[in-house]
Each structure stands twice: as C-alpha cells, then as structure tokens.
C-alpha cells in the first residue's frame, strides 16, 4: 500500500483538539480572555449576595476585567446611572422583584450594555464577539438582557422581563 504523507496522526490531531477545547481560557473569535477575578466576583455576588451589581469592561482589547461594583443597598437606577453612555459593558445585577402571585424573588441577570448611537462599530463588534467568553465563565446565569438604550433598562421593562 502507498505510504501516507508524513504528518500528525489522527490520534495526535484528536489529542490536540481535546487540549484546545478544554483549555482554561477559551479563546473567542476576538481573542479576548476573561480575568479570574471576574469569576471570583460572580461567585461573591451569587453566594454572599453582598453586592447589587458589578460591571465588566474589555481592557486593552485583550481581557475582560472588573469595572465598577455596586453595594447591596443600591438599586436598578443606581446601576443604570453608572453605565457609560459611549462604551459597551457587561454586567451582573442581582435583581429583587415580585412574581405575579406576590412572591418575593431575587435573580442574577447578565446585562450586555451596548449603546447603539454613541459607540463605535469596532467597540460594538469587539464586545459582541467576546460576550460568549464571559458567559461561559459565569455558569448558572438564569436571565440575560441586552440593552441598547436607557429605555431598555427602564424599571418597569426590566421587572416585566424578570417575571417571564
């Protein structure tokens, strides 16, 4: 039989693919990684419930890092007030709301803030293509909200969304 061209064996290729797939920091299309501190902060807000929100930004087009934290006594309006009007952000917010049958609930919501009219296309693309990297690290998020203007974060709009 003819000899195959020398190159990596099927086993070597599969081994490399497995290694890449299970690497600690999954590469996104954008190449942006997630700082470990982001996961630690997620666990803090989820388990200790001592923060109302935390925002994340992409630093130097390379890594997602913590931006701003909000104390437990702050609310949705405080969160909205700290969002930059000309830059995208990712955020986690611990929202308290009341179900239609009157039960008090609290859920973590992932927010992708991307103000359409004041951000560059480059920034919007970078954040959009890197969103999966941070979402994969924040295991167990029940709700996700994309906001492109302040109207998307209006209290009534958000509370209705949380009830769904």
């Amino acid at each position: 039989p003819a000899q195959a061209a020398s190159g990596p064996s099927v086993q070597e290729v599969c081994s490399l693919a497995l290694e890449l797939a299970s690497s600690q920091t999954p590469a996104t299309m954008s190449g942006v990684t997630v700082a470990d501190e982001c996961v630690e902060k997620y666990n803090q807000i989820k388990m200790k419930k001592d923060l109302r929100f935390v925002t994340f930004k992409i630093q130097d087009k390379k890594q997602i890092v913590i931006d701003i934290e909000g104390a437990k006594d702050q609310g949705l309006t405080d969160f909205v007030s700290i969002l930059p009007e000309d830059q995208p952000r990712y955020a986690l917010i611990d929202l308290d709301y009341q179900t239609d049958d009157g039960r008090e609930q609290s859920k973590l919501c992932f927010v992708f803030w991307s103000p359409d009219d004041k951000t560059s296309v480059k920034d919007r693309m970078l954040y959009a293509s890197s969103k999966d990297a941070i979402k994969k690290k924040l295991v167990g998020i029940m709700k996700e909200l994309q906001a492109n203007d302040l109207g998307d974060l209006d209290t009534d709009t958000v509370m209705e969304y949380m009830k769904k």
Side-chain angles (χ1 to χ4, degrees), residues 4-141:
S6 66
S9 70
V10 171
Q11 196 170 7
E12 289 170 322
V13 170
C14 289
S15 175
L16 181 61
L18 274 172
E19 193 178 309
L20 288 171
S22 64
S23 67
Q24 288 293 7
T25 48
T28 61
M29 284 175 49
S30 64
V32 171
T33 60
V34 181
D36 291 341
E37 66 185 21
C38 297
V39 178
E40 291 163 15
K41 198 54 66 178
Y42 167 64
N43 288 326
Q44 178 184 339
I45 197 172
K46 182 174 149 187
M47 301 307 219
K48 291 185 181 175
K49 294 202 164 277
D50 59 355
L51 292 173
R52 177 63 61 198
F53 60 82
V54 60
T55 63
F56 306 96
K57 66 181 179 180
I58 298 177
Q59 189 170 288
D60 302 325
K61 297 184 171 62
K62 290 184 179 143
Q63 190 171 48
I64 299 171
V65 297
I66 294 169
D67 184 30
I68 297 173
E69 296 176 17
K72 189 68 180 171
D73 62 354
Q74 294 190 304
L76 182 61
T77 51
D78 299 302
F79 167 70
V80 171
S81 73
I82 59 95
L83 291 171
E85 66 177 37
D86 59 350
Q87 294 170 31
R89 287 292 185 269
Y90 306 115
L92 278 173
I93 182 165
D94 191 7
L95 286 167
D96 298 323
Y97 63 99
Q98 201 172 60
T99 61
D100 289 332
D101 59 5
R103 290 177 296 119
E104 294 292 326
Q105 291 282 316
S106 174
K107 274 193 185 148
L108 272 180
C109 183
F110 178 83
V111 178
F112 175 28
W113 168 247
S114 185
D116 281 342
D117 52 348
K118 295 193 177 146
T119 53
S120 72
V121 172
K122 268 186 172 176
D123 280 348
R124 289 200 305 269
M125 292 297 290
L126 179 65
Y127 273 78
S129 64
S130 304
K131 183 176 80 164
D132 279 350
I134 190 165
K135 281 187 59 192
K136 282 179 187 165
K137 295 282 188 172
L138 310 180
V139 180
I141 295 286

